[in-house]
Structure formats: C-alpha cells, structure tokens
Amino acid sequence: MREFLLSTCGLAIWIIALFEIIIFMLLISKYKDKHKPMFLCMALICLGLVIDALVITSGILLGGALLPLSRLRFVAHGVLIPLILPICGYALDAKKGLMKVIWGITAVIMIAGAAEGFATVFETATIAGVIRLVSSDATPAWAGIITMVLSFGMVVPMLVCGLAAWIKQKNPHLFWAAFFMFLFSALGPATGNTDLIFYISMYGELLMVFFFYLYASNKYSKH
C-alpha cells in the first residue's frame, strides 16, 4: 500500500485539486441560483482545500514563494474550516437566535485559526517528490491545540448533525461527508503511514465537499 501511495502522490494531488475546483464552481453556481448561505460556506471550505492542494503539489515549483504561500495555506485552513459549524446549523434549520450564537462561536474559532496560521513555525518536509512547509517543534503549544480542534473538533459536530439530518430529512449526505473525512484522516496513522496523512486525508476532503454538494442540492432542491 505504501508503495502505491508514494508512486501516486504527486499526480493524484493535482487530480484531487482539479475535482475540488469543479465542485467549488458547482457550489458557487448553486449559491447564485438558490441564494442559500450553506452553499457559500461549503464553497469557501472547498476553496481552502483547493489552495491547500495547489500549494502542496506545486512546492517544487514555488521556490522562494513557498513560505508566504504556505502561510496563506495554514491561515486559509484556520479561517475556513470552522465554517463547518454554521453548515451544521443551516442543515438542521436552526432558529435565527441560535444561528447568531453559532456564528459567534465560529468567528472566535476563525480568529484562533488565523492566529494559529500566523504563529506556526515552519520546517521543510519532502516525501514522494512533494516539497512542503510543515509545522515544526518550534511552533507554540497553543497553536498545536488549535490545529487539533480544527482537524477533529469540526468533524464530530458534523457527524452528529449529519446523523440527525439523515434521520429527520432522509438525506444522508452530510453524514457521509463527515464519515469519509474522519475515515481518511484516521487511515494514515492506522496503516503506519502517518507521514502521508497530508495526502491520504485529501481523499477524505474531496469526498467531504462532494457530499456537501449532494446534501445541499438535495436539501434545497424544491426552494
């Protein structure tokens, strides 16, 4: 399995980025058509994943631009991933007052995510011909905690809300978005390929935004 992952890494990330760009465009088109904020939140998360994939796979070409673009990659991740929370709120048709609370919490996490991105101290990592800047041991401990919250703390609410939406709305796609994101995030450590988690998890990210699109399209098909 590891040999397959190593041999496909560079090309596969380009392909993943292409599919994410397509899904981003579809979500933006749906937002323009339906005017539902869920589509915009999903599109922005997808945009963050596109930035992530393109910066990672273009590392060997970026040269001196790798540092500022990697900083952008980390900040975009920290600012955009928390949009999962309002997506969950919109999915369960939360009342306006509750949505204000959710957006307030989201804003705090977004600020923390941006701070984490700016505070990260980078070091170079190269594997399978992919050159990346990654968080080093010199990164403050609090930034590492925020990274964990962004990586796993967003998936749990989505799993719960996805299950609720499946039961109440007969629409399983939000649950599958969370499930595949969690599954592929766990596959790296589970298979002894922790150093390739950045690549393996991209399959989960692609499936997440794909099921985002299916969920929202289904939910608002009659609006």
Side-chain angles (χ1 to χ4, degrees):
M1 178 181 178
R2 183 173 177 82
E3 289 303 316
F4 171 77
L5 291 172
L6 291 172
S7 64
T8 59
C9 185
L11 177 60
I13 296 175
W14 278 109
I15 295 172
I16 288 170
L18 174 61
F19 279 113
E20 288 175 344
I21 290 170
I22 293 171
I23 295 171
F24 169 75
M25 291 167 48
L26 289 172
L27 287 165
I28 288 295
S29 177
K30 283 287 188 180
Y31 174 67
K32 291 179 178 178
D33 180 41
K34 303 291 186 179
H35 304 290
K36 298 295 184 180
M38 178 187 285
F39 284 112
L40 182 58
C41 291
M42 291 175 170
L44 290 172
I45 290 174
C46 192
L47 177 61
L49 297 178
V50 170
I51 293 171
D52 185 68
L54 290 179
V55 172
I56 286 177
T57 198
S58 302
I60 197 170
L61 305 174
L62 294 175
L66 185 57
L67 177 57
L69 288 176
S70 294
R71 183 76 64 193
L72 171 64
R73 178 169 75 89
F74 272 66
V75 171
H77 179 269
V79 170
L80 298 177
I81 290 300
L83 291 174
I84 286 174
L85 295 180
I87 287 172
C88 290
Y90 292 127
L92 298 184
D93 300 310
K95 301 295 184 181
K96 184 177 293 186
L98 180 56
M99 283 306 305
K100 288 182 179 180
V101 173
I102 292 173
W103 271 111
I105 295 171
T106 301
V108 171
I109 299 175
M110 291 171 79
I111 292 169
E116 174 262 340
F118 283 114
T120 298
V121 179
F122 293 114
E123 63 182 12
T124 303
T126 304
I127 189 168
V130 176
I131 300 174
R132 301 175 297 135
L133 290 184
V134 300
S135 178
S136 72
D137 292 339
T139 298
W142 63 264
I145 294 172
I146 294 173
T147 299
M148 292 295 294
V149 171
L150 292 171
S151 298
F152 299 102
M154 299 295 104
V155 176
V156 173
M158 186 163 51
L159 275 169
V160 174
C161 292
L163 183 59
W166 191 348
I167 294 171
K168 294 180 179 180
Q169 304 165 11
K170 310 304 180 185
N171 187 348
H173 300 303
L174 186 62
F175 173 82
W176 291 121
F179 174 80
F180 284 115
M181 185 65 253
F182 177 80
L183 175 65
F184 281 89
S185 295
L187 272 180
T191 59
N193 292 291
T194 303
D195 56 338
L196 289 172
I197 191 172
F198 77 95
Y199 166 47
I200 298 172
S201 63
M202 284 185 179
Y203 290 100
E205 292 166 353
L206 176 59
L207 286 168
M208 179 179 73
V209 293
F210 172 68
F211 280 103
F212 272 176
Y213 176 77
L214 293 181
Y215 175 79
S217 296
N218 182 289
K219 179 176 176 63
Y220 297 116
S221 60
K222 297 178 182 179
H223 290 255

Short mmCIF file of all heavy atoms in Angstrom, two decimals, residues 98-137:
data_model
loop_
_atom_site.label_atom_id
_atom_site.label_comp_id
_atom_site.label_asym_id
_atom_site.label_seq_id
_atom_site.Cartn_x
_atom_site.Cartn_y
_atom_site.Cartn_z
N LEU A 98 -30.27 31.05 17.50
CA LEU A 98 -29.24 30.02 17.63
C LEU A 98 -28.16 30.19 16.57
O LEU A 98 -26.97 29.98 16.85
CB LEU A 98 -29.87 28.63 17.53
CG LEU A 98 -28.90 27.43 17.65
CD1 LEU A 98 -28.11 27.49 18.94
CD2 LEU A 98 -29.68 26.12 17.54
N MET A 99 -28.54 30.57 15.36
CA MET A 99 -27.55 30.79 14.31
C MET A 99 -26.61 31.93 14.67
O MET A 99 -25.42 31.89 14.34
CB MET A 99 -28.23 31.07 12.97
CG MET A 99 -28.79 29.84 12.27
SD MET A 99 -27.59 28.49 12.02
CE MET A 99 -26.25 29.31 11.15
N LYS A 100 -27.11 32.94 15.37
CA LYS A 100 -26.24 34.03 15.81
C LYS A 100 -25.19 33.51 16.79
O LYS A 100 -24.02 33.91 16.73
CB LYS A 100 -27.06 35.15 16.45
CG LYS A 100 -27.88 35.96 15.46
CD LYS A 100 -28.64 37.08 16.17
CE LYS A 100 -29.44 37.91 15.18
NZ LYS A 100 -30.20 39.01 15.85
N VAL A 101 -25.62 32.62 17.69
CA VAL A 101 -24.68 32.02 18.64
C VAL A 101 -23.65 31.18 17.89
O VAL A 101 -22.44 31.25 18.16
CB VAL A 101 -25.44 31.16 19.67
CG1 VAL A 101 -24.45 30.39 20.55
CG2 VAL A 101 -26.35 32.03 20.52
N ILE A 102 -24.12 30.37 16.94
CA ILE A 102 -23.21 29.52 16.17
C ILE A 102 -22.21 30.37 15.40
O ILE A 102 -21.00 30.06 15.37
CB ILE A 102 -24.01 28.61 15.20
CG1 ILE A 102 -24.81 27.59 16.00
CG2 ILE A 102 -23.08 27.92 14.21
CD1 ILE A 102 -25.77 26.76 15.16
N TRP A 103 -22.67 31.44 14.79
CA TRP A 103 -21.76 32.32 14.05
C TRP A 103 -20.78 33.02 14.99
O TRP A 103 -19.62 33.25 14.63
CB TRP A 103 -22.55 33.34 13.23
CG TRP A 103 -22.90 32.86 11.86
CD1 TRP A 103 -24.13 32.54 11.39
CD2 TRP A 103 -21.98 32.62 10.78
NE1 TRP A 103 -24.05 32.11 10.09
CE2 TRP A 103 -22.74 32.15 9.69
CE3 TRP A 103 -20.61 32.76 10.64
CZ2 TRP A 103 -22.17 31.83 8.46
CZ3 TRP A 103 -20.03 32.42 9.41
CH2 TRP A 103 -20.80 31.97 8.35
N GLY A 104 -21.24 33.33 16.20
CA GLY A 104 -20.33 33.93 17.17
C GLY A 104 -19.21 32.98 17.56
O GLY A 104 -18.02 33.36 17.60
N ILE A 105 -19.57 31.72 17.83
CA ILE A 105 -18.57 30.71 18.15
C ILE A 105 -17.64 30.49 16.96
O ILE A 105 -16.42 30.37 17.11
CB ILE A 105 -19.26 29.38 18.54
CG1 ILE A 105 -20.05 29.57 19.85
CG2 ILE A 105 -18.24 28.26 18.69
CD1 ILE A 105 -20.93 28.38 20.20
N THR A 106 -18.23 30.45 15.77
CA THR A 106 -17.44 30.25 14.55
C THR A 106 -16.43 31.37 14.37
O THR A 106 -15.26 31.12 14.03
CB THR A 106 -18.37 30.19 13.32
OG1 THR A 106 -19.29 29.11 13.47
CG2 THR A 106 -17.57 29.99 12.04
N ALA A 107 -16.86 32.61 14.62
CA ALA A 107 -15.96 33.76 14.47
C ALA A 107 -14.76 33.66 15.42
O ALA A 107 -13.62 33.94 15.03
CB ALA A 107 -16.72 35.06 14.71
N VAL A 108 -15.03 33.25 16.66
CA VAL A 108 -13.94 33.09 17.64
C VAL A 108 -12.95 32.03 17.16
O VAL A 108 -11.72 32.23 17.21
CB VAL A 108 -14.51 32.71 19.02
CG1 VAL A 108 -13.38 32.34 19.98
CG2 VAL A 108 -15.32 33.86 19.59
N ILE A 109 -13.47 30.90 16.68
CA ILE A 109 -12.58 29.83 16.21
C ILE A 109 -11.82 30.26 14.96
O ILE A 109 -10.64 29.92 14.79
CB ILE A 109 -13.39 28.54 15.95
CG1 ILE A 109 -14.06 28.07 17.23
CG2 ILE A 109 -12.49 27.44 15.40
CD1 ILE A 109 -14.98 26.86 17.04
N MET A 110 -12.47 31.03 14.10
CA MET A 110 -11.79 31.53 12.90
C MET A 110 -10.63 32.45 13.26
O MET A 110 -9.55 32.36 12.66
CB MET A 110 -12.80 32.26 12.00
CG MET A 110 -13.82 31.35 11.36
SD MET A 110 -15.16 32.25 10.53
CE MET A 110 -14.36 32.71 8.99
N ILE A 111 -10.85 33.31 14.25
CA ILE A 111 -9.77 34.20 14.69
C ILE A 111 -8.62 33.38 15.28
O ILE A 111 -7.44 33.63 15.00
CB ILE A 111 -10.30 35.21 15.73
CG1 ILE A 111 -11.28 36.18 15.05
CG2 ILE A 111 -9.15 35.98 16.38
CD1 ILE A 111 -12.05 37.05 16.03
N ALA A 112 -8.98 32.37 16.08
CA ALA A 112 -7.96 31.49 16.66
C ALA A 112 -7.24 30.73 15.55
O ALA A 112 -6.01 30.53 15.61
CB ALA A 112 -8.59 30.51 17.64
N GLY A 113 -7.97 30.30 14.53
CA GLY A 113 -7.36 29.59 13.42
C GLY A 113 -6.40 30.45 12.63
O GLY A 113 -5.33 30.00 12.22
N ALA A 114 -6.77 31.72 12.43
CA ALA A 114 -5.86 32.65 11.75
C ALA A 114 -4.61 32.87 12.58
O ALA A 114 -3.48 32.89 12.05
CB ALA A 114 -6.57 33.98 11.48
N ALA A 115 -4.79 33.03 13.90
CA ALA A 115 -3.64 33.23 14.79
C ALA A 115 -2.72 32.02 14.75
O ALA A 115 -1.48 32.16 14.74
CB ALA A 115 -4.13 33.48 16.22
N GLU A 116 -3.31 30.83 14.73
CA GLU A 116 -2.52 29.59 14.64
C GLU A 116 -1.70 29.58 13.36
O GLU A 116 -0.52 29.20 13.34
CB GLU A 116 -3.44 28.38 14.69
CG GLU A 116 -2.78 27.04 14.47
CD GLU A 116 -2.93 26.55 13.05
OE1 GLU A 116 -3.84 27.02 12.34
OE2 GLU A 116 -2.13 25.70 12.64
N GLY A 117 -2.31 29.99 12.25
CA GLY A 117 -1.60 30.01 10.97
C GLY A 117 -0.43 30.96 10.97
O GLY A 117 0.66 30.65 10.45
N PHE A 118 -0.60 32.13 11.58
CA PHE A 118 0.47 33.12 11.63
C PHE A 118 1.56 32.73 12.63
O PHE A 118 2.72 33.11 12.48
CB PHE A 118 -0.09 34.50 11.97
CG PHE A 118 -0.77 35.18 10.82
CD1 PHE A 118 -2.13 35.43 10.85
CD2 PHE A 118 -0.04 35.58 9.71
CE1 PHE A 118 -2.77 36.05 9.79
CE2 PHE A 118 -0.67 36.21 8.63
CZ PHE A 118 -2.03 36.44 8.67
N ALA A 119 1.18 31.97 13.67
CA ALA A 119 2.14 31.61 14.72
C ALA A 119 2.96 30.38 14.37
O ALA A 119 3.98 30.12 15.01
CB ALA A 119 1.40 31.37 16.03
N THR A 120 2.54 29.63 13.37
CA THR A 120 3.22 28.38 13.03
C THR A 120 4.65 28.65 12.56
O THR A 120 4.90 29.54 11.75
CB THR A 120 2.45 27.63 11.92
OG1 THR A 120 1.15 27.29 12.39
CG2 THR A 120 3.19 26.36 11.51
N VAL A 121 5.57 27.89 13.11
CA VAL A 121 6.97 27.96 12.69
C VAL A 121 7.22 26.78 11.76
O VAL A 121 6.96 25.62 12.12
CB VAL A 121 7.93 27.89 13.90
CG1 VAL A 121 9.38 27.92 13.43
CG2 VAL A 121 7.63 29.03 14.87
N PHE A 122 7.70 27.06 10.57
CA PHE A 122 7.78 26.04 9.53
C PHE A 122 9.14 25.34 9.47
O PHE A 122 10.17 25.90 9.85
CB PHE A 122 7.50 26.64 8.15
CG PHE A 122 6.08 27.12 7.98
CD1 PHE A 122 5.81 28.48 7.81
CD2 PHE A 122 5.04 26.23 7.96
CE1 PHE A 122 4.52 28.92 7.63
CE2 PHE A 122 3.74 26.67 7.79
CZ PHE A 122 3.48 28.01 7.62
N GLU A 123 9.08 24.12 8.95
CA GLU A 123 10.28 23.40 8.53
C GLU A 123 9.93 22.67 7.25
O GLU A 123 8.75 22.42 6.96
CB GLU A 123 10.74 22.41 9.60
CG GLU A 123 9.76 21.29 9.90
CD GLU A 123 10.26 20.37 11.00
OE1 GLU A 123 11.24 20.73 11.67
OE2 GLU A 123 9.65 19.30 11.19
N THR A 124 10.93 22.34 6.47
CA THR A 124 10.70 21.71 5.17
C THR A 124 10.57 20.20 5.32
O THR A 124 11.32 19.57 6.07
CB THR A 124 11.86 22.03 4.20
OG1 THR A 124 11.99 23.44 4.07
CG2 THR A 124 11.59 21.43 2.83
N ALA A 125 9.59 19.64 4.63
CA ALA A 125 9.41 18.19 4.59
C ALA A 125 9.27 17.77 3.13
O ALA A 125 8.54 18.41 2.36
CB ALA A 125 8.17 17.78 5.38
N THR A 126 9.98 16.72 2.76
CA THR A 126 9.93 16.22 1.38
C THR A 126 9.63 14.73 1.40
O THR A 126 10.30 13.97 2.09
CB THR A 126 11.26 16.46 0.65
OG1 THR A 126 11.60 17.85 0.69
CG2 THR A 126 11.17 16.01 -0.80
N ILE A 127 8.62 14.34 0.64
CA ILE A 127 8.30 12.92 0.51
C ILE A 127 7.62 12.69 -0.84
O ILE A 127 6.81 13.51 -1.28
CB ILE A 127 7.39 12.43 1.67
CG1 ILE A 127 7.24 10.91 1.63
CG2 ILE A 127 6.03 13.10 1.64
CD1 ILE A 127 6.63 10.32 2.88
N ALA A 128 8.01 11.63 -1.51
CA ALA A 128 7.45 11.28 -2.82
C ALA A 128 7.57 12.43 -3.81
O ALA A 128 6.70 12.63 -4.65
CB ALA A 128 6.00 10.84 -2.68
N GLY A 129 8.64 13.21 -3.69
CA GLY A 129 8.86 14.34 -4.59
C GLY A 129 8.05 15.57 -4.28
O GLY A 129 8.14 16.58 -4.98
N VAL A 130 7.25 15.51 -3.21
CA VAL A 130 6.43 16.65 -2.80
C VAL A 130 7.15 17.43 -1.71
O VAL A 130 7.51 16.87 -0.67
CB VAL A 130 5.05 16.19 -2.29
CG1 VAL A 130 4.23 17.38 -1.78
CG2 VAL A 130 4.29 15.47 -3.40
N ILE A 131 7.39 18.71 -1.97
CA ILE A 131 8.09 19.57 -1.01
C ILE A 131 7.05 20.45 -0.32
O ILE A 131 6.31 21.19 -0.97
CB ILE A 131 9.13 20.45 -1.72
CG1 ILE A 131 10.17 19.57 -2.43
CG2 ILE A 131 9.81 21.38 -0.71
CD1 ILE A 131 11.15 20.36 -3.26
N ARG A 132 7.02 20.35 1.03
CA ARG A 132 6.04 21.13 1.80
C ARG A 132 6.75 21.86 2.93
O ARG A 132 7.82 21.44 3.38
CB ARG A 132 4.98 20.23 2.41
CG ARG A 132 4.17 19.42 1.47
CD ARG A 132 3.23 18.49 2.24
NE ARG A 132 3.96 17.52 3.04
CZ ARG A 132 3.69 17.20 4.30
NH1 ARG A 132 2.70 17.81 4.95
NH2 ARG A 132 4.40 16.29 4.94
N LEU A 133 6.11 22.92 3.40
CA LEU A 133 6.48 23.51 4.67
C LEU A 133 5.45 23.04 5.69
O LEU A 133 4.25 23.19 5.48
CB LEU A 133 6.51 25.04 4.59
CG LEU A 133 7.64 25.64 3.75
CD1 LEU A 133 7.61 27.17 3.83
CD2 LEU A 133 9.00 25.14 4.18
N VAL A 134 5.94 22.46 6.78
CA VAL A 134 5.05 21.90 7.80
C VAL A 134 5.37 22.53 9.15
O VAL A 134 6.41 23.16 9.33
CB VAL A 134 5.19 20.37 7.89
CG1 VAL A 134 4.84 19.73 6.55
CG2 VAL A 134 6.61 19.97 8.29
N SER A 135 4.47 22.34 10.09
CA SER A 135 4.67 22.87 11.44
C SER A 135 5.84 22.14 12.11
O SER A 135 5.92 20.91 12.08
CB SER A 135 3.39 22.69 12.25
OG SER A 135 3.57 23.15 13.58
N SER A 136 6.73 22.91 12.72
CA SER A 136 7.90 22.34 13.39
C SER A 136 7.68 22.30 14.89
O SER A 136 6.68 22.80 15.42
CB SER A 136 9.15 23.17 13.08
OG SER A 136 9.10 24.41 13.77
N ASP A 137 8.64 21.71 15.60
CA ASP A 137 8.56 21.62 17.06
C ASP A 137 8.65 22.99 17.72
O ASP A 137 8.31 23.14 18.90
CB ASP A 137 9.69 20.73 17.59
CG ASP A 137 9.50 19.27 17.21
OD1 ASP A 137 8.36 18.89 16.90
OD2 ASP A 137 10.50 18.51 17.19
#
